[in-house]
Amino acid sequence: MTASLFTPYKLNDTLTLSNKILMAPLTRCMADDDLVPTQQIADYYARRAEAGLIISEATIIRADGQGYPNTPGLFTPAQIDGWRVVTDAVHKNGGKIFAQLWHTGRVAHPHFFGGGDVLSSSAQAVEGTVPRMRELVYQTPKAATIEDIKQLVIDYAQAAANAIDAGFDGVEIHGANGYLIDQFLHHDNNRREDEYGQTPENMSRFALEVVDAVIARIGADRTALRVSPGAYFNMAGDSRDRAVFDYLLPEVAKRNLAFLHGGIFDDSMEFDYLGGSISAYLRSVYTGTLVGVGSYTAETGSAAIEANKFDLLAIGRPFIANPDYVAKVRDGEELVAYADTMLTELI
Ligand code: FNR
Ligand code: 8K6
């Protein structure tokens, strides 16, 4: 029933995965106060090295990208050294690991970085308060200037270079879930009237500039992208968003990235303006390797791969509950059910 997950998968001439199960990026808020990953975090990832590829928890590219407590960074020498301990531990156990590069945009809060502006595509605040820090109300962001945008692109590329320096096998650019890059891709947030707004080409410009800058530093073989064409988190959907992704994704496909990854919690969710689920929509517009995700089991994910709905399966919450997820699936052993209470500990 799950045999299709256990064959190797060649991403490109640089990287071959030993199986088709990816560990999805999972924020754990457990880095130390300098946003350095700890030895406990290294041990946590090392226990999961049997995954064909681990994608790290979202990792901020610079200080003003932080929106949650104790999320790790990749912009100081100490953070790079801390991640090197993680990647060494994963490699020692025979695994591979990509860093997920993150800037939360308007979901950032100055509480975490000592004050200053919160940047986004436009001055549209996200509603509500910061999870786990309920007293913090999100503030209205500053619309990034052209100068700000140029610097952000440079900082994504530098974080990618830092990731390689830290021993990662590659990076996944976090363009999903309503964070900075996604804030340019949806009309709910992007109200710009310059070359970064209004048309699909303009709204895709920032995402493609980041992708191109990262490729220039570390190579397309080691670069991946996660996107949420259906807005479902930190953002409202708009039927005009479809045209943005219809333009963006074939452009991304031309760049021969390692893979494209959907960003969604439940892939059975259907979006009217996309004509169906996230994976079905991505498959229809994107020609490269596609990672499916969102409330799959090994059985349903394997069946979806056999039906050619996507190529690789990312597993999130079950990997929090089962460090030995891959071995359990392979051996047909029962899995421990995930519960939110497990988030307080790194098992
Ligand atoms: C997530 N998810 C997530 N996504 C992402 O791109 N970067 C991240 O850092 C996180 N962090 C995160 C933390 C926690 C606690 C959860 C539950 C989820 C989303 C995750 O990668 C995945 O898309 C979903 O969890 C759906 O997959 P599962 O859990 O149904 O297999
Ligand atoms: C405290 C840090 C958390 C950071 C990342 C995101 C994790 C969230 C977990 C729950 C989120 C829920 C969202 C979504 C909607 C689902 C619709 C099917």
Side-chain angles (χ1 to χ4, degrees), residues 301-321:
S302 180
I305 288 174
E306 274 163 38
N308 201 28
K309 293 181 173 167
F310 45 80
D311 306 295
L312 298 165
L313 173 66
I315 294 289
R317 288 161 289 188
F319 246 122
I320 291 178

Side-chain angles (χ1 to χ4, degrees), residues 81-95:
D81 289 345
W83 277 118
R84 198 173 292 115
V85 177
V86 176
T87 61
D88 280 349
V90 169
H91 291 149
K92 196 162 155 258
N93 285 0

Side-chain angles (χ1 to χ4, degrees), residues 24-27 58 100 174 177 226 264-265 293-295 316-317 343:
L26 294 161
T27 290
Q100 193 188 43
H174 194 345
N177 297 351
R226 191 171 209 196
I264 188 72
F265 274 71
V293 70
S295 303
R317 288 161 289 188
L343 292 177

Side-chain angles (χ1 to χ4, degrees), residues 221-238:
D221 284 4
R222 297 193 185 276
T223 303
L225 176 66
R226 191 171 209 196
V227 290
S228 293
Y232 74 103
F233 188 52
N234 297 319
M235 194 95 82
D238 183 312

